[in-house]
Amino acid sequence: MKLLKLTEQLGLVSYRNQSKSEIKPHIEVDTSICNSVCPHKCTTYVCPANCYTMDEEGQVHFQVEDCIECGTCMYACDQGAVSWNYPDPEIGRGVTWNYG
Amino acid sequence: MDEKFDCIIVGAGVAGLAAAMELARSDMKFLLIEKGEFAGSKNVSGGVLWGHDLDRLVPEYWKEEDGGWERFINHRRLTFMDGESAFSVDFKSSHFNEPPYSGVVVLRSKFDRWLAGKVEEAIADSAHPMDSFIATNIKVDEVLMEGGRATGIRTGEEEFHADSVIIAEGVNNLLTRQVGLQDDYVPADHMLTGIKEVIRFEQSVLEDRFQLNGRSGMSNEFLGYATNGVEGGGFLYTNRETVSVGLVLGLKDLREKEQKPYDILNHFKSHPAVADMLRGGEVVEYSAHVVSSGDKRVMPRKLYTGGLLVCGEAANLLLNAGKAIQGMDFAMRSGILAAETIVKAKEKDDYGEQAMSAYRSALDDSYVMKDINSFQDAVHMLHAPEMFSDVPNLVCDFGRSFFTIDNSPTRKSRKMMADAVREHSSWWDLFKLGIRGAKSL
């Protein structure tokens, strides 16, 4: 069968409240830690939704939009850069599984 | 709302719903809070629900034409794989065709919602049909504590009060950490990331391909090539019109080996044996969730305090000892036991820490902790590197020579085995592994 690219896989995920303007990221990442002391920058490859990316200069960036709330980064980051939480159903966006 | 509940349950997953069902049947006033827009909307599992506790919760659940479950399992398969081969231990038996089934496949978004409906029915039949609720779309920010005792929860500006709180928030147990039962930071050592695709087929294709009959189904676990050298394993379960295909990957190992979970999933799906099973299917959902390994070292240091109990995966109750991945059954039983503890506490009007400790004793006496305790060695062994590389490679190498017929003199299988062992391991290592295996299982 056809293998999907991550963007195609994430395209199948249902999120709610995507367009709300007051959206606040439910996960906060202190990327200054990623970009100074972190020896592995592992979030850029372990995150199943690729919310953590690395630019050409090797700098880590975080964007919450595709987050599927799995928790991987909370355990994988051993440098204290990740403050993890669930999105607030009232304001944030969040994943709603059709199958689960 | 001024009224105080007997209990507030956080999380409408399997554990929370099981607790709610027991509380409703015992005529308790409770509030079950779920952050998703409906029960199950935020939940992901492999997922097979093992055992007979579902029958206890929803008697004769199988009689419902369109119940929340997908298929019952009468076909189990464990597959060792290398790059080209798949060597399976395969067991199918009509012995498993009769209810109560020993395992049913579920999709949580459907199953949990269905189970929540059953809880609603139990609430309607209880003595407090207007005082117990399932409330969705609410995120609990804090468990309120007073003098070492839980007194309710806070969500935003709003507070709800109760004599007791059951935390059934799942593996990412922020509230359990907040009340101090587990450290704020849990390291990756004994945690895994589960990653999954749900793939749809025409039902007749699915039934023909997997030899399904009516509502029968198959569970297949994979060791070796599936995880591309990362600690963990693969799974494939048949649903009604879809299959759930995925991996559980050791988080620490993933970090150290610098691999991307979605790349490994495609690697797994590309294996010739797996590709043949999935041909023609259409991916309809991609999901991921952290899962604990079953190693006791990751459990919260305590599962109770005054007025408060922790159950299901929030308590890291999960076990993969190689026989089956069990977690939802543990969640169900622990939820039931937690509710029973709360019912007794209400009878005596004592929700103190001592009274709550009865939950831990009940859990220790149940199959949940008995199995977690007796299979710790198996958990450690399953996560040893040789189990996801050397052993599957050896088994497949042996299989290839054993099943090859090329019209030259065939060696005895003992010689073939010796060659396979020399290639991938040693008799001494296998002997040690065998002893460990025999002891642990």
Side-chain angles (χ1 to χ4, degrees):
Chain A
M1 71 180 293
K2 185 174 169 276
L3 301 176
L4 300 191
K5 294 195 185 73
L6 182 64
T7 47
E8 297 171 302
Q9 289 168 318
L10 291 172
L12 301 168
V13 176
S14 307
Y15 298 97
R16 293 293 189 267
N17 306 332
Q18 289 202 52
S19 55
K20 291 243 175 163
S21 55
E22 64 268 45
I23 176 172
K24 255 195 337 209
H26 54 277
I27 297 170
E28 285 170 25
V29 182
D30 185 349
T31 48
S32 68
I33 295 178
C34 313
N35 292 323
S36 56
V37 294
C38 181
H40 48 67
K41 304 182 194 322
C42 73
T43 49
T44 60
Y45 51 87
V46 299
C47 170
N50 198 29
C51 291
Y52 299 78
T53 49
M54 200 189 283
D55 65 19
E56 295 91 42
E57 275 90 53
Q59 300 288 296
V60 177
H61 301 273
F62 172 74
Q63 50 86 27
V64 79
E65 278 69 20
D66 288 325
C67 177
I68 50 178
E69 300 157 47
C70 68
T72 300
C73 59
M74 171 166 63
Y75 299 90
C77 172
D78 54 1
Q79 306 291 315
V82 176
S83 306
W84 204 89
N85 210 329
Y86 290 104
D88 187 326
E90 293 297 313
I91 53 165
R93 64 189 289 180
V95 67
T96 290
W97 299 114
N98 293 321
Y99 296 85
Chain B
M1 201 175 304
D2 326 319
E3 212 177 339
K4 194 164 85 163
F5 294 96
D6 295 319
C7 184
I8 291 173
I9 306 168
V10 184
V14 171
L17 288 166
M21 185 70 93
E22 286 294 314
L23 291 182
R25 290 199 179 131
S26 305
D27 296 325
M28 305 278 281
K29 282 193 279 187
F30 68 91
L31 173 63
L32 170 56
I33 301 182
E34 163 58 41
K35 64 183 178 303
E37 63 177 296
F38 54 86
S41 62
K42 294 277 186 187
N43 299 343
V44 179
S45 73
V48 185
L49 171 59
W50 296 105
H52 298 161
D53 278 352
L54 177 56
D55 181 32
R56 173 170 162 184
L57 221 52
V58 184
E60 305 193 317
Y61 67 89
W62 55 84
K63 288 192 170 164
E64 202 171 319
E65 186 62 30
D66 199 29
W69 56 290
E70 299 293 313
R71 290 179 178 277
F72 71 83
I73 289 178
N74 68 353
H75 190 178
R76 305 278 315 272
R77 191 191 281 163
L78 174 64
T79 301
F80 298 89
M81 64 207 304
D82 67 12
E84 293 81 34
S85 319
F87 194 126
S88 296
V89 182
D90 189 284
F91 186 75
K92 186 171 189 175
S93 174
S94 59
H95 179 77
F96 296 125
N97 288 356
E98 297 302 315
Y101 303 115
S102 78
V104 292
V105 189
V106 300
L107 291 164
R108 299 293 298 278
S109 183
K110 183 175 162 193
F111 178 78
D112 293 13
R113 183 146 51 165
W114 168 81
L115 192 54
K118 298 291 165 190
V119 173
E120 298 275 15
E121 287 173 23
I123 291 174
D125 291 340
S126 77
H128 302 288
M130 305 308 280
D131 301 310
S132 290
F133 308 92
I134 300 180
T136 55
N137 270 318
I138 297 174
K139 181 168 86 76
V140 174
D141 293 312
E142 187 187 354
V143 175
L144 302 169
M145 301 289 288
E146 223 170 85
R149 230 188 97 172
T151 58
I153 59 100
R154 178 180 67 76
T155 162
E157 307 285 292
E158 221 172 342
E159 292 187 356
F160 296 94
H161 297 277
D163 286 323
S164 61
V165 174
I166 292 177
I167 297 182
E169 58 181 337
V171 66
N172 298 322
N173 52 2
L174 303 178
L175 297 173
T176 308
R177 298 173 195 198
Q178 185 197 89
V179 297
L181 297 182
Q182 190 164 39
D183 291 338
D184 278 341
Y185 175 63
V186 175
D189 300 56
H190 310 299
M191 307 305 284
L192 305 108
T193 288
I195 177 169
K196 182 174 91 163
E197 279 180 358
V198 177
I199 303 178
R200 181 162 57 209
F201 295 85
E202 250 180 73
Q203 194 166 332
S204 61
V205 171
L206 186 76
E207 289 174 352
D208 286 349
R209 186 167 301 167
F210 293 98
Q211 302 159 25
L212 308 172
N213 184 1
R215 292 294 288 276
S216 79
M218 181 193 70
S219 76
N220 195 165
E221 279 90 25
F222 301 83
L223 275 177
Y225 177 89
T227 59
N228 199 21
V230 175
E231 169 195 340
F235 60 84
L236 185 150
Y237 306 128
T238 56
N239 305 309
R240 247 191 262 196
E241 294 166 344
T242 58
V243 295
S244 298
V245 180
L247 300 163
V248 280
L249 301 163
L251 244 170
K252 189 166 175 235
D253 214 33
L254 205 57
R255 180 169 73 202
E256 286 172 359
K257 294 189 172 138
E258 301 188 16
Q259 294 210 38
K260 298 176 175 174
Y262 37 91
D263 286 349
I264 309 181
L265 183 61
N266 277 343
H267 166 90
F268 175 41
K269 285 172 64 186
S270 312
H271 187 279
V274 180
D276 281 348
M277 289 198 254
L278 301 181
R279 193 176 50 250
E282 179 203 0
V283 180
V284 291
E285 188 163 87
Y286 167 80
S287 57
H289 212 281
V290 165
V291 60
S292 64
S293 68
D295 195 307
K296 268 188 355 182
R297 285 172 288 186
V298 81
M299 278 178 70
R301 65 182 75 87
K302 261 171 64 185
L303 302 185
Y304 63 92
T305 186
L308 184 137
L309 302 170
V310 185
C311 55
E313 249 220 302
N316 290 110
L317 300 177
L318 195 122
L319 182 67
N320 180 10
K323 203 161 78 93
I325 304 170
Q326 290 176 265
M328 287 184 279
D329 53 340
F330 290 0
M332 204 168 261
R333 178 62 68 91
S334 65
I336 291 170
L337 295 175
E340 287 174 350
T341 307
I342 298 301
V343 171
K344 279 190 199 127
K346 191 188 179 184
E347 280 165 14
K348 294 181 185 151
D349 194 26
D350 176 9
Y351 294 91
E353 186 165 350
Q354 185 60 35
M356 292 299 107
S357 73
Y359 165 63
R360 178 67 207 225
S361 313
L363 203 60
D364 284 337
D365 286 340
S366 74
Y367 82 96
V368 176
M369 283 314 299
K370 283 187 174 158
D371 282 359
I372 288 179
N373 285 325
S374 26
F375 291 100
Q376 281 296 295
D377 290 342
V379 170
H380 300 158
M381 182 169 156
L382 206 64
H383 291 274
E386 52 265 42
M387 288 311 289
F388 45 87
S389 58
D390 298 349
V391 170
N393 288 335
L394 190 160
V395 170
C396 287
D397 237 20
F398 170 74
R400 191 177 50 189
S401 19
F402 186 83
F403 291 112
T404 299
I405 293 167
D406 57 5
N407 300 126
S408 56
T410 304
R411 289 165 304 152
K412 291 288 213 183
S413 33
R414 148 172 75 79
K415 298 271 278 180
M416 295 176 186
M417 183 51 97
D419 284 350
V421 169
R422 196 172 314 116
E423 178 75 20
H424 299 286
S425 182
S426 71
W427 284 116
W428 174 237
D429 284 339
L430 278 193
F431 174 73
K432 284 191 293 187
L433 205 61
I435 296 286
R436 273 181 78 185
K439 273 190 189 162
S440 65
L441 284 176

